[in-house]
Amino acid sequence: MHFYTYDGSFEGLLTVVFEAYERKEWPTQIGREGEAPPGIFAEHHFVPTQEDKAKRVWEGLGKKLSKAAWENVYKAYLWEQSGFEMLIFQFVRMVFSSTQEGVEENFSEPCVQKMAAVGKQMFREKHRMEAFIRFQRTQDGLFIAPISPDFNVLPLVVSHFEKRYADQHWLIYDVRRQYGAYYDLQSVQIVYLEDAPLGLRKGQLSPEILTSVEPLYQQLWQVYFDHVNIPERKNQKLHLRHMPKRYWKYLTEKKPRMQAHQPIQNKQVPTAMPRLKA
């Protein structure tokens, strides 16, 4: 048994692939540095990250795969579920050993099926984060949005918000993984806050750091949400499918109402088109 460990980075994992080919010893398990070997007879080998080796593996995959399948390798790394390292290694090994084009469409291979399923899960989570992120403005003008996605999709949503909110300073903070993406009007930087406020680490910003008008903006959004809602067309099952409850704690429209909703009294729909005089 060969147990390979690395520093946890994507480049480190690609270096493991290179090292395995160089040593001609295929890993039976891959884990992060510090993880215990799977058995007392397992041969442990730590692989330090080497950018040049990682680059050769990554560029080699790019030549063998379509753009979507190539990106799925990185998405599988961000997926973070148990066994993702070995899934990537098995897929990469199959790609490099194949002499035919379109290897990513060979769904008779279990690793190809799994990689495709992972890609769909990551796409779904990315799409939901882009739709459900809600920013709150602090007194120093920074817009903050805490998130807690099932998968590590923050690197995948950054470009969307960089284009959409290019004129604002913002921070999207993953409270589950304790890191964030900060935009300073020029570029996005990945940040790790050693002294992050307790409220931010729990996903709830303290009212003391928000602007005085932030509650008003939240109330206006809640009123808008209530007024565009059509009670007669309520479909709770469909609603939960498109907006699962695990996202509700960060959605302004799902928080307790600051004031009771009052229907618009003159909200009427004409029964017929009025006749116009010539």
Side-chain angles (χ1 to χ4, degrees):
M1 297 179 66
H2 300 286
F3 180 50
Y4 283 69
T5 58
Y6 68 112
D7 62 5
S9 67
F10 183 60
E11 292 78 9
L13 183 55
L14 294 179
T15 307
V16 168
V17 175
F18 188 99
E19 190 82 3
Y21 272 89
E22 194 171 55
R23 293 165 60 94
K24 293 183 172 56
E25 291 180 352
W26 311 127
T28 52
Q29 185 172 334
I30 303 173
R32 299 198 174 200
E33 183 180 8
E35 290 185 12
I40 59 174
F41 298 108
E43 181 181 339
H44 175 229
H45 179 61
F46 172 72
V47 180
T49 299
Q50 297 186 49
E51 297 286 344
D52 56 335
K53 293 182 177 180
K55 184 178 180 181
R56 287 177 61 181
V57 174
W58 186 238
E59 291 180 347
L61 287 172
K63 295 176 181 177
K64 301 273 287 184
L65 295 170
S66 65
K67 186 174 184 295
W70 189 38
E71 292 175 347
N72 264 0
V73 176
Y74 180 55
K75 292 177 181 177
Y77 165 76
L78 297 176
W79 185 55
E80 295 183 332
Q81 302 305 294
S82 177
F84 76 89
E85 293 103 340
M86 282 303 299
L87 170 64
I88 292 174
F89 182 83
Q90 291 164 359
F91 180 76
V92 170
R93 187 180 177 188
M94 186 206 65
V95 171
F96 284 145
S97 63
S98 176
T99 58
Q100 300 178 350
E101 295 183 358
V103 62
E104 70 266 19
E105 297 179 357
N106 182 11
F107 291 102
S108 63
E109 292 287 345
C111 63
V112 175
Q113 296 180 26
K114 188 63 178 179
M115 288 289 287
V118 168
K120 290 180 180 178
Q121 289 182 23
M122 295 297 291
F123 173 81
R124 189 182 305 115
E125 191 74 352
K126 171 182 177 293
H127 177 71
R128 284 172 172 169
M129 282 297 101
E130 291 174 348
F132 296 155
I133 283 180
R134 300 289 183 265
F135 287 97
Q136 300 179 63
R137 188 175 184 178
T138 64
Q139 294 180 10
D140 57 2
L142 177 65
F143 289 84
I144 300 180
I147 63 174
S148 183
D150 287 349
F151 313 121
N152 185 16
V153 296
L154 180 55
L156 304 179
V157 304
V158 163
S159 60
H160 170 82
F161 290 98
E162 187 176 8
K163 295 175 183 177
R164 190 169 184 180
Y165 301 110
D167 60 342
Q168 301 171 357
H169 291 83
W170 49 258
L171 169 67
I172 304 175
Y173 192 77
D174 189 329
V175 301
R176 177 177 296 186
R177 296 163 186 84
Q178 296 295 305
Y179 84 103
Y182 170 68
Y183 178 68
D184 62 0
L185 302 183
Q186 299 295 327
S187 62
V188 175
Q189 301 176 5
I190 299 299
V191 295
Y192 296 87
L193 305 178
E194 295 181 359
D195 299 321
L198 180 61
L200 178 58
R201 282 185 273 132
K202 292 185 176 181
Q204 301 296 332
L205 300 182
S206 172
E208 287 76 17
I209 69 171
L210 301 176
T211 62
S212 58
V213 295
E214 179 61 29
L216 175 60
Y217 287 138
Q218 294 185 17
Q219 181 179 322
L220 289 173
W221 176 249
Q222 290 175 342
V223 170
Y224 168 78
F225 182 81
D226 288 337
H227 282 305
V228 297
N229 181 45
I230 304 176
E232 293 78 10
R233 294 186 179 180
K234 184 176 182 180
N235 187 333
Q236 189 68 12
K237 185 177 180 180
L238 180 65
H239 180 70
L240 290 173
R241 189 165 76 228
H242 289 289
M243 187 184 287
K245 279 191 174 182
R246 64 179 179 273
Y247 301 108
W248 289 13
K249 58 185 175 182
Y250 300 126
L251 297 178
T252 305
E253 58 269 31
K254 290 298 184 181
K255 293 180 180 179
R257 294 298 186 260
M258 299 177 185
Q259 70 176 29
H261 165 56
Q262 298 294 331
I264 299 176
Q265 299 301 321
N266 62 348
K267 187 178 181 181
Q268 299 179 354
V269 179
T271 57
M273 182 68 69
R275 294 183 179 182
L276 301 178
K277 295 181 180 180

